[in-house]
Each structure stands twice: as structure tokens, then as C-alpha cells.
């Protein structure tokens, strides 16, 4: 037995030596020995942006968020927010080229939760967390001026139109779908769709596929009339922020003291995010009873929505899973076996060269597809839940006496604060000359509207 | 009196929701961090996996691509008939454009001593098409390799070349070791270190 082991050891060593000779033999032409004193150069390796600089970015983000919070909650200055958003646009947008951003960080977080092989990096995690924590306390100050995508759209709001509630609510479902899809694709390791279809990154980089530049410009042109289209109809991070902001401890208030119901703020908001007071005479017992009954019916229907959504989601898994490169390749090779002989099909040729067997690929693909099936249930169930809750919500009549920002939708841009005449009055009584010396543009806007 | 109570109730619900959201945020953080955090990743090409398909030249968000050919001189055989420099079956072994494989003429050939020639990549001209890399891998030592140059790479959250790379050769590497030049770190690594 011992002898046998010793023999094995020798055999193992021999194999090692042989492997060494073979691998050395890979160099077909040995390195020459120069006689003229030629000095061999070394290839340069330019360093990536240092880790310290990345940390500096997170510090800048924290500073910008704090500054916006100060402008919104304490100083109540729209102008401050505006200048901060210009800084954000220049720094995070045009200088840092819009990457990494908090919106895209959702995918890194999702991937790191579901793929144990991927470790999230510190900066990405901070970019993901900071705005959410700020939203939990101060509302969506990130949207106001710390997001380059928001900033570029906000600066181009020219003549915003107001849309009917049902249109806004229906469009409001899309961010949830986008969020769920982004998480599904990231968690299965298929694609980072938020980054891939970021409409403004092409503009920030001034260098992108033509179609993406066109898409970005379309968004900006649309945004002149339908303010911040990306934020309101697509932004998946906005969903998370709105959850936080809904329950924020301190939030932007339109008026510093008492609301005089002048409706000026309501007209000033380009995002239809200001809720009018509920007229007391609507709150009759009859209406309240009817609403309560409908609310209960819709609440009971909630499980149905979830199951229906989940079912549709899981049925769609075959289609959705095509986004995964392995599934795509396996399907292509199954349905078009003749492509194996096509030298121009790089994907198939590289796969054939790689030495993996076709069965391995199919197994990998079916594993991914299985993930999509489970994920599809969650994906669809989540969308069903969102729709169900949205329908329930329309029967809640709040006891609301003043004009207040809808905390979920409000981007904390601060336009309404500037329009509030109560503030003007207070400021004027504080310091008569102040307004005229500073020449506040919002002040003039207010006078014009009078 | 009644009004007061309702305000308190709403404030109570808000506070509860805030705490719940805060806790779930912490939960998501803990889940995603797992047992360790990484410093930062950058994208790099693993030359062992690269099949020189040519997509690096076209798929990068930058034009020209942030992928360039890098010459690991240590592995180079300094051949006169260089598989990376000359087209298959060149008319003559000299620097005429008609003999060159590189579509942009980004490789400079310089005589060192009989029979050795040095090849230098002009990165300004290189578009990362991998033609020379393929030639060198097929007929030579494989000293020409594609690498992502970090002075050019924007380090997108998801590398758009990685998404279409047929051999999954583009991977995330730790920021401390941003290059994967084959052969260079075997002997030179000690010198550099």
C-alpha cells in the first residue's frame, strides 16, 4: 500500500514536470539574447481612477444632499437648489459621465444579494443608500438637485402641462414595472437594463450610439412640456425614494406658516405633485360609506391581483429569459442547428471553440430559465400588488385642509416655496428692502402673476 | 379633541413606517454586503479567454474603443516574420502599408539587431480590433494582447463589451490589480514589486 502511494507521488511529480516543460514550450520563439545592449521596454499600465477619488465622490454626494436639505428645509431657497442642481449636472453628469449613479446601483445591490460570487463595492453601496436615508428624513432631496438625470430635465422644464389624474396614475405604474424588471434581470445575472437604457448618459458623455442620443434628446424635448418624463414615468429608483419620502420625518412645506389657499403653489408645480384640500362638503356620510365599501371590496381583491400578476409573470418567463446570453445562445443553437457551420456567427463559433459541451450549455440555460420562472412569480405578483393597492388608494379621502405636497411624488425642487405669498409677506415685514435688493426672480414671477 | 387624536394616530403610523423602512434598508444592506465588501472593481480582459472576435473595437461606449493592444515584450520573440505585423503571405518583410495587418498602421516595426525586430503599439492609432492579437496568437508567442486601458475606460457599471463578449473574457477585477497581461507578471512582477 505504501509502495503504491509512493509510486503515485512519483507519477504526480512526473506529470508536473511534464506539464512545466509543455507550458514553457508554448513560447514558440524563445526570447532572444541581445548583443547590442538593447533594453527591453515594459508595457505601460495606466492606473484606473484611484479608490480615494471614488470615496471623494461619495463625500461630494453626501455634501450635495446635505446642501439641498439645507436649502429646502432651513433656508427655503429655490435659487440655492437650482445652483446645486447645476453643480450636480456639471460634476456627476458631464465630468463623471453619469456613472456610477444611484439609479443604476439598484442592480448592483440586487446582483450582490442573489449572486454570492459578486461582492458589491463600498462606493456603489453608499451611492445606493445615502439618497434613501436622506429621503427617509427629508423627502426626495436627491431628486431635487443631487441626481444628474433629474437636473438635466429640471433645467429644461419650459412650459409644463398638467395631466389628468388617471393618466398620471396609470403612467405611475411603469416605474414599478421597470424596477421589478431591472431587479429580475440583475438578479439572474442577465443584464443591467437601467444602465443600458439610460437616456441621458449619451449626452453626458457626448459620445454614444446614435439611437441613444436621439432617445435622450426626445426625452429632453418631451420634458419641456411634460416635466421630468424620465423621473415620473421610468425612474426605478424614484419608486424606492417615494416609499421613503412618504413617511419622511421632515419634508418640504409649501408655506412657512399658514396656508391662505391662494392656489398659486398648485399652479407653480410642474409635476402636479401638490394636492388640493379635500372640500369638506364632499365628505358626507354617504360618500364615506360608499368609499369604505369599495375600499373593502378592492382590498379583498388584492390577493387576486397578486396571483393573476404572478401567473402572468411566470408565463412570461420563457420570453423574459431570452435576455440572458446563455439562454439566448442555447435557444439559437437548438432552433437553428445549421448555424454551427456558419463561420460568421461569432457567438456560436466561440462557444464551439471553448470546449464546453452543448449539454453543459443547455443545463446552464435551463438553470437560468428556472430562476426566471421563480422570479417571474415575484415580478408579476409585485406588479399585481402595486396595481391592487393603487386601486384601493383612490377610495381614501384624506382630511386635508390646505395645499400640501404629495410626499411620494414631490421632487422637493422648491418652486412652490417661491410662489407662496405668505413667505413674501413674512420676508417683507422682516426686511422691507431685502427683496428689491436681491431682485429675487421668483418674487418678480409672483408679481407678474398678480 | 377628536382632531388631535387623528393627528397623533397619523404621526404614530408614520413613525412606525419610518422605523420599518429604516430596518428594511439595513436588512437589504446586510444582505448585499454578505460576509465582505470589495473595494472597487474595474473591467479587464482575461487574455487566456479572449478569442479575438473583434467586438472590442465596435462595442465599447467610447470611440475609438478603450480596449487597446498591449505588447508584453517579455514574451515577444522579436521575429522578423511577425504574425501580428504582417498580413499572411506578405510581398516583402518590410514596412509597406500593403504588407501590414493592422488596419490603422498602429504597429511600428524597428530593427534591433540581426535578426530581431521590435514592435511598438501606437495606442493613439490602435482601435482594439484584435487582428494583430489573433495573428500573434496563431503564429507567434501571443505577446500581443488586448487590454482595457484604464486611462480611457469610463468603467461603466456594466461594460457594454462584456455583455456581448462571446467567451466571457471581460471580467471584473479588483482595482489593486487592474491589468491581466499574460507573461508580464511572471518575471517582471518581482522586479516591479
Amino acid at each position: 500500500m505504501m509502495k503504491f502511494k509512493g509510486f503515485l507521488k512519483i507519477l504526480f511529480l512526473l506529470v508536473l514536470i511534464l506539464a512545466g516543460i509543455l507550458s514553457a514550450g508554448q513560447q514558440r520563439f524563445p526570447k532572444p539574447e541581445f548583443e547590442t545592449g538593447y533594453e527591453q521596454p515594459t508595457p505601460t499600465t495606466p492606473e484606473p481612477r484611484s479608490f480615494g477619488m471614488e470615496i471623494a465622490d461619495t463625500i461630494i454626494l453626501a455634501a450635495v444632499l446635505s446642501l439641498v436639505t439645507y436649502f429646502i428645509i432651513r433656508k427655503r431657497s429655490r435659487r440655492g437648489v437650482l445652483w446645486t442642481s447645476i453643480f450636480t449636472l456639471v460634476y456627476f453628469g458631464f465630468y463623471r459621465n453619469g456613472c456610477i449613479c444611484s439609479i443604476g446601483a439598484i442592480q448592483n445591490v440586487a446582483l450582490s444579494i442573489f449572486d454570492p460570487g459578486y461582492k458589491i463595492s463600498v462606493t456603489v453601496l453608499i451611492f445606493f443608500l445615502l439618497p434613501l436615508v436622506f429621503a427617509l428624513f427629508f423627502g426626495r432631496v436627491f431628486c431635487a438637485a443631487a441626481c444628474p438625470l433629474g437636473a438635466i430635465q429640471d433645467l429644461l422644464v419650459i412650459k409644463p402641462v398638467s395631466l389628468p389624474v388617471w393618466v398620471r396614475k396609470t403612467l405611475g405604474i411603469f416605474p414599478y414595472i421597470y424596477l421589478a424588471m431591472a431587479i429580475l434581470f440583475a438578479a439572474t445575472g442577465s443584464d443591467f437594463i437601467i444602465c443600458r437604457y439610460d437616456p441621458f448618459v449619451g449626452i453626458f458623455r457626448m459620445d454614444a450610439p446614435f439611437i441613444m442620443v436621439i432617445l435622450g434628446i426626445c426625452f429632453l424635448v418631451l420634458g419641456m412640456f411634460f416635466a421630468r418624463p424620465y423621473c415620473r414615468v421610468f425612474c426605478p429608483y424614484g419608486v424606492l425614494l417615494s416609499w421613503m419620502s412618504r413617511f419622511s420625518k421632515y419634508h418640504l412645506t409649501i408655506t412657512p406658516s399658514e396656508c391662505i389657499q391662494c392656489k398659486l403653489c398648485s399652479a407653480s408645480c410642474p409635476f402636479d405633485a401638490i394636492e388640493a384640500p379635500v372640500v369638506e362638503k364632499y365628505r358626507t356620510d354617504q360618500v364615506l360609506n360608499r368609499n369604505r365599501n369599495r375600499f373593502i371590496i378592492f382590498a379583498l381583491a388584492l390577493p387576486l391581483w397578486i396571483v393573476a400578476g404572478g401567473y402572468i409573470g411566470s408565463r412570461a418567463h420563457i420570453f423574459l429569459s431570452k435576455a440572458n446570453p446563455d439562454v439566448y445562445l442555447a435557444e439559437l443553437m437548438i432552433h437553428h442547428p445549421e448555424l454551427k457551420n456558419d463561420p460568421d456567427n461569432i457567438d456560436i463559433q466561440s462557444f464551439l471553440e471553448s470546449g464546453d459541451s452543448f449539454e453543459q450549455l443547455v443545463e446552464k440555460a435551463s438553470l437560468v430559465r428556472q430562476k426566471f420562472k421563480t422570479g417571474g412569480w415575484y415580478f408579476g405578483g409585485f406588479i399585481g400588488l402595486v396595481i391592487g393597492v393603487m386601486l384601493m388608494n383612490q377610495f381614501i379621502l384624506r382630511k386635508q385642509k390646505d395645499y400640501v405636497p404629495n410626499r411620494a411624488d414631490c421632487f422637493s425642487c422648491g418652486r412652490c416655496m417661491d410662489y407662496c405669498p405668505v413667505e413674501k409677506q413674512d420676508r417683507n415685514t422682516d426686511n422691507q428692502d431685502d427683496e428689491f435688493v436681491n431682485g429675487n426672480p421668483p418674487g418678480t414671477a409672483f408679481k407678474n402673476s398678480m | 379633541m377628536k382632531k388631535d387624536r387623528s393627528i397623533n394616530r397619523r404621526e404614530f403610523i408614520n413613525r412606525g413606517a419610518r422605523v420599518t423602512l429604516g430596518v428594511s434598508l439595513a436588512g437589504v444592506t446586510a444582505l448585499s454586503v454578505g460576509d465582505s465588501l470589495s473595494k472597487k472593481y474595474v473591467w479587464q480582459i482575461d487574455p487566456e479567454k479572449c478569442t479575438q472576435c473583434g467586438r472590442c473595437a465596435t462595442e465599447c461606449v467610447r470611440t475609438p474603443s478603450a480596449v487597446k493592444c498591449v505588447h508584453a515584450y517579455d514574451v515577444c520573440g522579436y521575429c522578423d516574420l511577425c504574425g501580428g505585423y504582417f498580413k499572411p503571405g506578405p510581398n516583402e518583410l518590410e514596412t509597406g502599408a500593403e504588407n501590414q495587418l493592422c488596419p490603422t498602421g498602429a504597429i511600428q516595426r524597428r530593427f534591433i539587431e540581426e535578426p530581431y525586430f521590435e514592435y511598438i503599439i501606437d495606442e493613439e492609432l490602435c482601435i482594439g480590433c484584435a487582428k494583430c492579437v489573433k495573428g500573434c496568437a496563431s503564429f507567434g508567442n501571443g505577446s500581443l494582447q488586448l487590454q482595457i486601458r484604464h486611462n480611457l475606460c469610463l468603467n461603466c457599471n456594466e461594460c457594454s463589451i462584456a455583455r456581448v463578449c462571446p467567451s466571457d473574457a471581460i471580467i471584473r477585477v479588483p482595482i489593486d490589480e487592474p491589468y491581466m497581461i499574460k507573461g508580464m507578471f511572471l518575471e517582471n512582477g518581482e522586479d516591479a514589486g
Side-chain angles (χ1 to χ4, degrees), chain A residues 72-285:
Chain A
I72 289 292
I73 310 280
R74 292 299 293 275
K75 189 91 194 300
R76 298 179 55 79
S77 153
R78 163 70 190 157
R79 187 186 266 194
V81 175
L82 191 65
W83 282 110
T84 319
S85 77
I86 289 171
F87 168 77
T88 297
L89 182 62
V90 170
Y91 185 76
F92 287 114
F94 288 103
Y95 173 66
R96 293 290 297 121
N97 291 310
C99 218
I100 168 84
C101 78
S102 302
I103 306 172
I106 299 172
Q107 301 161 123
N108 303 60
V109 171
L111 183 62
S112 68
I113 290 175
F114 290 97
D115 178 5
Y118 175 75
K119 303 230 175 303
I120 195 165
S121 67
V122 192
T123 39
V124 175
L125 191 64
I126 294 175
F127 262 80
F128 174 74
L129 281 179
L130 259 187
L132 290 175
V133 172
F134 267 83
L136 196 53
F137 287 95
F138 310 108
R140 298 171 70 167
V141 286
F142 173 73
C143 303
C147 173
L149 282 75
I152 193 172
Q153 293 175 87
D154 204 74
L155 292 172
L156 286 173
V157 175
I158 291 172
K159 192 161 176 44
V161 292
S162 181
L163 289 179
V165 180
W166 66 270
V167 176
R168 275 188 281 131
K169 292 283 178 199
T170 316
L171 290 177
I173 296 172
F174 284 100
Y176 287 91
I177 298 175
Y178 199 16
L179 173 70
M181 277 201 13
I183 292 178
L184 181 67
F185 284 142
T188 53
S190 307
D191 205 345
F192 274 21
I193 53 170
I194 301 176
C195 300
R196 195 166 158 194
Y197 299 111
D198 181 338
F200 302 114
V201 83
I203 294 169
F204 292 149
R205 290 176 178 169
M206 302 196 203
D207 178 14
F210 183 66
I211 186 88
M212 291 312 288
V213 175
I214 293 294
L215 187 70
I217 291 171
C218 283
F219 263 101
L220 290 181
V221 171
L222 178 67
M224 294 176 183
F225 311 103
F226 176 68
R228 286 202 182 204
Y230 184 79
C231 309
R232 285 159 82 193
V233 188
F234 293 98
C235 184
Y237 195 59
V239 172
L240 304 181
L241 286 169
S242 74
W243 289 347
M244 302 291 157
S245 174
R246 225 177 272 265
F247 304 104
S248 52
K249 195 168 169 67
Y250 314 95
H251 190 276
L252 168 147
T253 53
I254 299 170
T255 160
S257 48
E258 194 118 323
C259 176
I260 55 168
Q261 318 244 338
C262 66
K263 294 188 197 174
L264 278 175
C265 58
S266 183
S268 77
C269 183
F271 317 112
D272 298 325
I274 294 177
E275 286 180 346
V278 177
V279 181
E280 201 57 35
K281 67 178 177 196
Y282 285 155
R283 293 178 57 94
T284 58
D285 283 344

Side-chain angles (χ1 to χ4, degrees), chain A residues 293-329:
Chain A
N293 289 341
R294 290 199 179 163
F295 183 84
I296 290 168
I297 292 168
F298 275 88
L300 290 176
L302 206 53
L304 278 179
W305 277 108
I306 297 173
V307 172
Y311 180 72
I312 296 170
S314 72
R315 294 291 294 185
H317 81 277
I318 291 184
F319 172 72
L320 290 173
S321 66
K322 280 182 196 181
N324 186 284
D326 286 334
V327 177
Y328 176 79
L329 186 62

